Amino acid sequence: MKNSLVAILVWIAIALLGSAALGGIALNRGESINALWFVTAALCVYAIAYRFYATWIATKVLLIDPTRATPAERLNNGRDYIPTNRWIVFGHHFAAIAGPGPLVGPTLAAQFGYLPGTLWILFGAVLGGCVQDMVTLFCSTRRNGRSLGQMARDELGAIGGIAALTTTLFIMIILIAVLGLVVVNAMKHSPWATSTVAATIPIAMLVGLYMRTIRPGRVLEGSLLGVILLLLAVAGGGWIEHQQNLREFFDYPGLPLAWMIIAYGFAAAILPVWLLLAPRDYLSTYIKLGTIILLMLAIVWIQPNIKMPAFTQFIDGTGPIFGGKLFPFVFITIACGAISGFHALIASGTTPKLLSNERDIRMIGFGGMALESFVAIMAIIAATVLDPGVFFAINSPAGVVGKEAADAVAKISSWGFPVTVVQMNLLAQQMGEATLFARTGGAPSLAVGMASIFGSAFGQGMLAMWYHFAIMFEAIFILTTLDAGTRVGRFMLQDMLGNIWKPLGRTSWYPSVLLSSGIIVAAWGYFLYIGVIDPNGGVNILWPLFGISNQILAAIALCVATGILIKSDKLKYAWITALPLTWLIIITSSAAWEKITSTDARIGFLAAANDLATKLASGLLSPEKAAVAPQLIFNQRLDAVLTLFFVCMLWLIVFDMLRVCVRYLTGKPVPPLSEVSHHLAGIEKTWRRN
């Protein structure tokens, strides 16, 4: 009784502290607010959501059964299905889902101010993203690790299933291409980042062999070995950076790096998961979590003030970084930190094939997403502790603020965010860069913010080292998502090919593995190639499509989950997925409508293409711009077509899900639940025999 009372009082204290922190963040106006309140609010929200909401869903809604054998145990083939230590699975899952979204998205969305992005990250995650990841992982685990598209076909029928399968695969290709493009841009002409990222591959293979053959089951030993080697790789990258004879071996422009990443993606898709994918992602998690924890401790230590206002004047859609009003574009720009459809592909791809016990679903699904959301909070802090003038100077394109430094600072200062050329030149010198003007994309400004925090906590003399470490950290963060995404794409394609010829659907049949992996890598490799050779930067064109398609994918996952809950006679609980689904339908449809129909060239895909075509025909473009204009026009129009296709498929799937649910509730025939029958776990069998 005494322990229960203490626990109640502790949770009441956490709730009150979290409420006070959230209130301070939301209601503060006109005065600077300390970043410590952001950390406090986030930790309290995640703790309460995990302890109570996630537990309620696991025990009352999903009815998780620890005695039930998972697909990894029943279908163990030593390649794709293999029971794996829960912490390794958690590390793999977190590394796979934590891509550019929680880093780049919050940084870009800071142009609206600190408040909109912060609230969306916190509440979007616990009510939407964490629920989607956890429920999808549960549903896939109960269905032999079936992919999202395959579950849609099994549960909704041919129409909705084929639409979901096709849409998911196309979105997956776009997502992986954007991931590859971001990491290419992060490693381009950076020997430090390139050499360190390259070193993680043989290190991961060594650790995989160590824990499987040399010292089986010695997870702690393997982890220590991997961490030590990773730290040496980071230090070695800094040494290579300053060795003129060695740095040229790791100093590449975009196109060679793209080919290397394409080759790596193919290897990651065909090699056994225990040899490269799981240990590499597991070890990358140490770098990710170690850096985020260090950043959190530095924030707690120095307690920096947030310098960006709660709202900026750019909520009206006139922002310099990207066009569009606060609604719906803040919800599209920040995807992975709040709710991301890509997570559903991992939760129905590699992770359920590694899960050794259903009781780990809450920790891996809900907990993994909560941890990624915390990464997004750290990113928004790192972006908003910068002077707003510095933030906009780094992230605003030269075409908006001017190519000359004097023009840029004059333009930005006119917005009410003063900055000087001397200030920017000094900052660039401290970071070891030639210039920081117009370094668009979010990654450089995030690295500057992180370096500033680390420098204040651990010494200003190491700013250049911290900056380049942050750039390397971002590259590793993204690449681990790319390799897992490629493997998931292979599983999805095999599901589809299996309908044509059954052996092609066998995930362990090597001819099918090679064929499907080659097709997937070639598909996203093509878009990666187009993005890399685009002189204006493919990310600027593809990121809005990335955000919209990612949220549409999340809506598809929630459609499937809602249908499964209703068909499982859990109508009274279906709101846990139906509410976030409704919100995603609203924001994705609104954003897609604006991107297709807007007459503003900074917002609409077709408007931008038509504007550029008019200028090209009138001879108003420079020779350099005119040379690439046809390609840019084609890319904008392609984005519009893909956006229209994705949103039409979403509505088709939604209506098909509603049709199936109404038929089930009215007693009419529907596709039966595809959940496999109950089998006792091996440990439970042994216990019962004894």
Side-chain angles (χ1 to χ4, degrees), residues 271-594:
L271 290 176
V273 69
W274 61 265
L275 179 60
L276 176 59
L277 192 68
R280 185 190 189 284
D281 291 355
Y282 174 65
L283 293 174
S284 297
T285 301
Y286 281 103
I287 292 292
K288 296 178 180 182
L289 294 184
T291 303
I292 293 301
I293 292 172
L294 189 65
L295 183 62
M296 181 189 70
L297 294 176
I299 290 171
V300 172
W301 176 255
I302 66 174
Q303 300 181 20
N305 287 328
I306 300 297
K307 297 178 182 178
M308 187 73 70
F311 294 96
T312 69
Q313 65 266 39
F314 302 128
I315 59 175
D316 64 357
T318 61
I321 300 175
F322 61 90
K325 295 182 179 180
L326 177 65
F327 178 87
F329 287 100
V330 70
F331 306 103
I332 296 303
T333 304
I334 301 178
C336 298
I339 180 169
S340 168
F342 182 82
H343 297 191
L345 302 183
I346 304 300
S348 64
T350 56
T351 303
K353 297 178 175 66
L354 303 175
L355 202 67
S356 60
N357 195 292
E358 281 193 3
R359 67 169 174 266
D360 300 330
I361 288 176
R362 179 174 72 116
M363 180 190 79
I364 294 169
F366 200 100
M369 177 57 211
L371 186 58
E372 177 172 343
S373 183
F374 187 66
V375 172
I377 290 292
M378 293 295 101
I380 208 166
I381 290 174
T384 55
V385 296
L386 296 174
D387 288 331
V390 171
F391 171 84
F392 285 109
I394 297 175
N395 286 290
S396 299
V400 175
V401 297
K403 293 183 179 180
E404 299 299 325
D407 295 333
V409 298
K411 182 73 171 178
I412 295 167
S413 298
S414 71
W415 298 334
F417 303 122
V419 64
T420 66
V421 175
V422 173
Q423 181 183 6
M424 291 300 299
N425 288 341
L426 177 60
L427 184 63
Q429 182 182 359
Q430 292 174 331
M431 299 298 163
E433 292 289 300
T435 181
L436 288 173
F437 279 105
R439 296 291 299 274
T440 58
S445 64
L446 175 60
V448 171
M450 291 175 63
S452 300
I453 293 172
F454 286 142
S456 298
F458 308 115
Q460 293 288 341
M462 300 175 65
L463 278 175
M465 187 277 290
W466 285 121
Y467 173 81
H468 287 94
F469 174 82
I471 290 292
M472 178 275 303
F473 155 79
E474 294 173 38
I476 288 181
F477 220 105
I478 295 165
L479 198 57
T480 51
T481 308
L482 181 143
D483 54 29
T486 301
R487 198 175 191 93
V488 171
R490 189 252 287 182
F491 290 144
M492 293 165 56
L493 183 58
Q494 285 182 290
D495 280 340
M496 296 180 68
L497 294 177
N499 297 319
I500 301 173
W501 188 38
K502 198 167 184 178
L504 292 176
R506 288 162 44 194
T507 57
S508 58
W509 189 49
Y510 229 68
S512 174
V513 170
L514 294 174
L515 175 64
S516 56
S517 299
I519 294 174
I520 289 295
V521 171
W524 65 254
Y526 168 77
F527 286 99
L528 172 59
Y529 172 80
I530 294 299
V532 169
I533 65 174
D534 182 355
N536 283 5
V539 172
N540 295 329
I541 293 177
L542 290 176
W543 188 266
L545 179 62
F546 172 89
I548 292 172
S549 61
N550 198 14
Q551 302 295 57
I552 285 177
L553 191 55
I556 292 174
L558 290 170
C559 269
V560 175
T562 302
I564 290 175
L565 287 177
I566 291 176
K567 288 171 60 180
S568 301
D569 295 320
K570 298 175 182 177
L571 176 62
K572 65 179 180 180
Y573 298 127
W575 61 267
I576 68 169
T577 54
L579 287 182
L581 168 61
T582 303
W583 178 245
L584 287 181
I585 292 171
I586 293 171
I587 62 173
T588 53
S589 299
S590 300
W593 176 259
E594 290 199 36

Side-chain angles (χ1 to χ4, degrees), residues 156 562 566 653-664:
L156 303 181
T562 302
I566 291 176
I653 295 164
V654 168
F655 281 123
D656 202 46
M657 181 270 291
L658 293 174
R659 177 187 64 83
V660 171
C661 291
V662 169
R663 287 181 62 86
Y664 179 80

Side-chain angles (χ1 to χ4, degrees), residues 587-602:
I587 62 173
T588 53
S589 299
S590 300
W593 176 259
E594 290 199 36
K595 295 302 292 185
I596 295 172
T597 65
S598 175
T599 57
D600 186 342
R602 297 188 62 246

Side-chain angles (χ1 to χ4, degrees), residues 66-67 73 680-690:
T67 69
E73 179 182 342
L680 280 178
I683 295 177
E684 184 70 13
K685 290 179 182 177
T686 302
W687 180 83
R688 292 195 177 186
R689 282 198 303 266
N690 295 334

